[in-house]
Amino acid sequence: MDVDWEAYGWERLADGVGRRRLPRWDATVGLVLGERAVLLYDTGSSLAEGAELRTQIAGLTGGRRVTHIALSHPHFDHVLGTAVFAGAEVFGAVGSDELLGREREREALRRDAVEQGLDAKAAAEAADVLVAPRHVVSGEWTLDLGDRQVLLANVGPGHTGHDLVLLVPGEREVVFCGDLVEESGEPQAGPDAIPSRWPDALDRLLRLGGEDAVYVPGHGAVVDATFVRLQREELATRFPVA
């Protein structure tokens, strides 16, 4: 696929596969282009950020719209832009649909976004129209994008109770990890993390991707299997199983 990723500030990872590191919180969004469908992995931290992504994707693809969205986990910097992608089929890990559908959880996302520095009005607007996943993944789900198939895998819990990764086959498989893997800082274990299960989640991630895959963290530069394995060992030491 002839796509000028760099012209729009995106990084090409493989044919028809790219990602962008968003400003401020350095959260990654991924894009996979198929013959009949366009899949976006995460949607940014606000409606404005989501709208910017929508405009960029239209430019990258000659006017195509996002048809499918996969949400890596229910944190504000990864989900608050979803509402701008009207008509997209939204996927998440099992339980994320109920979580993001609850008023108190929307309020918690809004509050967290404001505490992290998002404008209060922007946070409230995004929380008010937050889109919960319509399709939930309890194990693995294969999506047919036309000329290619991709795999959504619920490998958690770990960073949260609802971690969903995306595997894109190719000469080198590309694995979008969400915040199960972080490169630009130490992995963050907030109140919704299940740290004793995190190393197991990374074991499953490595089995799915294999030794030669490109691993795309939720924050930071692209890494390899060796990096993921070392982070797994650090997490196991930091959060030993009781």
Side-chain angles (χ1 to χ4, degrees), residues 113-235:
V114 173
E115 289 174 356
Q116 296 297 325
L118 185 64
D119 174 76
K121 182 179 179 182
E125 289 175 343
D128 283 346
V129 295
L130 184 64
V131 176
R134 178 183 175 189
H135 308 284
V136 294
V137 183
S138 59
E140 299 178 0
W141 188 314
T142 300
L143 282 179
D144 186 352
L145 304 183
D147 55 340
R148 70 196 318 163
Q149 293 184 330
V150 300
L151 182 71
L152 301 176
N154 182 345
V155 300
H159 176 66
T160 71
H162 310 90
D163 295 308
L164 187 69
V165 304
L166 167 64
L167 293 86
V168 186
E171 289 186 15
R172 291 188 69 189
E173 189 164 49
V174 178
V175 184
F176 290 94
C177 307
D179 286 5
L180 285 168
V181 179
E182 296 194 42
E183 186 277 335
S184 56
E186 187 176 77
Q188 298 300 300
D192 59 344
I194 306 177
S196 65
R197 303 283 298 280
W198 202 331
D200 289 341
L202 292 184
D203 286 339
R204 288 190 287 274
L205 181 71
L206 286 164
R207 285 197 295 271
L208 285 169
E211 287 301 307
D212 297 327
V214 174
Y215 291 88
V216 187
H219 302 264
V222 169
V223 299
D224 58 15
T226 298
F227 180 95
V228 177
R229 190 170 293 105
L230 287 172
Q231 192 156 95
R232 183 253 184 241
E233 295 307 318
E234 291 168 359
L235 286 165

